[in-house]
Amino acid sequence: MSEVEQQLTELGRGVENLYTLEELRAKLAKGRPLRVKLGMDPTAPDIHLGHAVVLRKMRQFQDLGHKAVLIIGDYTARIGDPTGRDTTRPILDENTIAENAQTYLDQAGKILDLAPDKLEVRWNSQWLAKLSFADVLKLTGQVTVQQMLHRENFRLRMEKQTEIMLSEFMYPLMQGYDSVVVEADVELGGTDQTFNNLMGRELQHKAGQEKQVVMVMPLLVGLDGHEKMSKSKGNYIALTDDANTMFGKIMSIPDSLMPNYYQLLTNLPEDRIASLIDPNQTHPRDAKDVLGRIIVEEFHGRDAANAASIEFRRRFSEHELPSDIETHAVGEGRINIAQLIRKVGFASSGSEAKRLIAQGAVTFNNERITDPTTEVVIDGEPVLKVGKLRICRVRI
RNA sequence: GGGCGUGUACCGAAGCGGCCAAACGGGGCAGACUGUAAAUCUGCUGGCGAAAGCCUACGGAGGUUCGAAUCCUCCCGCGCCCA
């Protein structure tokens, strides 16, 4: 197998779609480092494992000697990517964008190789902010409305008769124009980015450049097991989650998601994955433990990963208390249980606290409390538990 | 600009004068069962209150009425068609 073919095999792993294989082969055959573009819009303060899938692919390119070109979409973030939306996104202010961008870089740095010859970071306001109206007209003159309406997201909104802001049509153009500016050889993205990425090919072609190869990664399914992982759905694992939280979240994914996670978030060989996800060979619980340790290790190191695994077992299999519990000062020695729950932040209202009590979710000092009028005495540092996850100690 | 629609709780969606804090589904939370999996079953899902009850809420502001999410007026938002 030639070196090019080896690269193709490695790079092709986990890929959902490639436009096109032949072009990638030809680009690799040139023997020079390819410029591999990935755009990220700093629209939220943290990124999650869904982003990690694409970032890991980026890392793979780096490890094979190619150059990662990370585009911080500080300008595109102002419009908002219409992807996955049935309504228009709110426009973010510049400060928020700048803050988000910084944390993005920090987080992406956990996955990417930060060596200067392996990574180039660009902010797209650098060129997008300078475009004149005439430039924009020229850009918009290269694509038809019909082409835009082919995009699934726009088409659905047309069908559902929900609004599409004219500015949203600009988004694919801006992202495509980024590719022209940075002269990308390859652009990475999730399946939801396919349209935007292909637009880059179109615009590059019109600009007289060789078309970028578009490599599309599958979207990671979120914790609920159905919807794609996303911040707004709350079904995500943040790269900034601490080791225990991250591990716990991985343990809570449906078994059916394991193959997907193994494939997209680990570097294990295929046959090893196959034996892990076969319930006849490996108990699903153990397979998930292995998965959790691998993923946590990538972000927090081996020791933290092992500790998280042990802590998890301790806490949920053996029903012990977590090893470190926050302590809340209450300021009173005797307090109504519902008020206490609200005071430590385990319920947002007294009514909610009472409901939880009535449902048997509350224990204080290991005693289940079902009467919302109960007064508890704070002697020492008793443990308050609401449901499985909300646990703290209280003191006066 | 004209015509026709539409706006209900986290989301979708009923309700069209009192029985409405508002059916139903999804989501979420809690309990049972488990491997913090899935599936299943049960309950809860505006605030205050021990409770009775009170308060706030069906896009906004007024009005009619003993009584309005429901009727009227104006305004705002959104969609479709015509221009």
Side-chain angles (χ1 to χ4, degrees), chain A residues 66-342:
Chain A
H66 302 289
K67 181 142 192 170
V69 180
L70 188 65
I71 311 264
I72 303 293
D74 62 330
Y75 205 76
T76 27
R78 297 186 192 178
I79 288 186
D81 182 359
T83 297
R85 289 258 144 183
D86 49 8
T87 53
T88 308
R89 281 189 194 229
I91 289 174
L92 298 173
D93 69 85
E94 287 180 44
N95 286 343
T96 310
I97 290 172
E99 283 166 26
N100 291 345
Q102 190 51 54
T103 69
Y104 269 37
L105 282 175
D106 295 342
Q107 293 168 61
K110 293 180 179 182
I111 297 173
L112 296 178
D113 185 340
L114 300 176
D117 61 324
K118 290 278 183 62
L119 177 67
E120 178 179 317
V121 179
R122 304 286 292 273
W123 300 62
N124 68 7
S125 62
Q126 283 170 355
W127 51 86
L128 292 177
K130 288 182 191 146
L131 292 182
S132 70
F133 203 80
D135 295 329
V136 174
L137 283 177
K138 192 178 165 198
L139 211 50
T140 52
Q142 303 193 17
V143 183
T144 66
V145 172
Q146 283 81 354
Q147 284 175 308
M148 282 293 174
L149 291 178
H150 263 95
R151 186 185 171 148
E152 186 183 28
N153 176 271
F154 290 140
R155 208 187 61 229
L156 288 176
R157 285 202 266 167
M158 291 295 284
E159 281 168 15
K160 282 173 67 185
Q161 305 189 343
T162 55
E163 70 173 358
I164 301 170
M165 294 311 284
L166 195 50
S167 59
E168 293 184 66
F169 278 179
M170 297 306 295
Y171 191 91
L173 290 176
M174 292 160 93
Q175 192 171 329
Y177 185 69
D178 289 349
S179 292
V180 174
V181 173
V182 304
E183 299 182 34
D185 291 304
V186 179
E187 175 157 15
L188 295 177
T191 53
D192 57 347
Q193 290 292 317
T194 307
F195 184 90
N196 295 342
N197 295 164
L198 291 174
M199 184 62 71
R201 280 167 69 82
E202 192 83 12
L203 295 183
Q204 281 178 317
H205 181 64
K206 297 221 155 119
Q209 292 181 17
E210 187 175 296
K211 290 182 191 168
Q212 66 183 5
V213 167
V214 170
M215 185 177 273
V216 179
M217 302 300 294
L219 294 179
L220 195 67
V221 177
L223 299 177
D224 56 77
H226 302 289
E227 305 223 60
K228 75 162 185 168
M229 183 174 285
S230 87
K231 173 113 179 160
S232 55
K233 299 212 174 72
N235 62 356
Y236 68 104
I237 302 176
L239 300 194
T240 50
D241 278 341
D242 64 58
N244 285 333
T245 305
M246 195 179 263
F247 190 86
K249 283 183 179 175
I250 293 161
M251 292 305 281
S252 80
I253 64 169
D255 290 358
S256 57
L257 243 50
M258 269 203 283
N260 193 242
Y261 275 46
Y262 265 118
Q263 176 82 32
L264 297 174
L265 295 168
T266 76
N267 296 322
L268 295 182
E270 300 289 348
D271 54 345
R272 171 83 174 120
I273 294 178
S275 83
L276 279 165
I277 62 179
D278 177 359
N280 295 320
Q281 294 185 56
T282 313
H283 189 288
R285 210 214 81 93
D286 297 329
K288 220 180 270 177
D289 180 80
V290 170
L291 177 68
R293 287 208 311 265
I294 291 172
I295 293 172
V296 173
E297 182 178 336
E298 180 168 358
F299 299 100
H300 297 284
R302 174 164 292 228
D303 291 346
N306 286 332
S309 168
I310 291 165
E311 171 75 4
F312 182 86
R313 210 171 284 259
R314 211 175 93 79
R315 184 167 170 192
F316 294 104
S317 305
E318 291 157 30
H319 304 290
E320 301 280 327
L321 289 173
S323 52
D324 59 331
I325 308 181
E326 216 179 322
T327 303
H328 286 271
V330 182
E332 296 170 72
R334 203 181 162 78
I335 187 170
N336 168 266
I337 185 68
Q339 281 175 31
L340 176 65
I341 289 167
R342 194 176 45 177

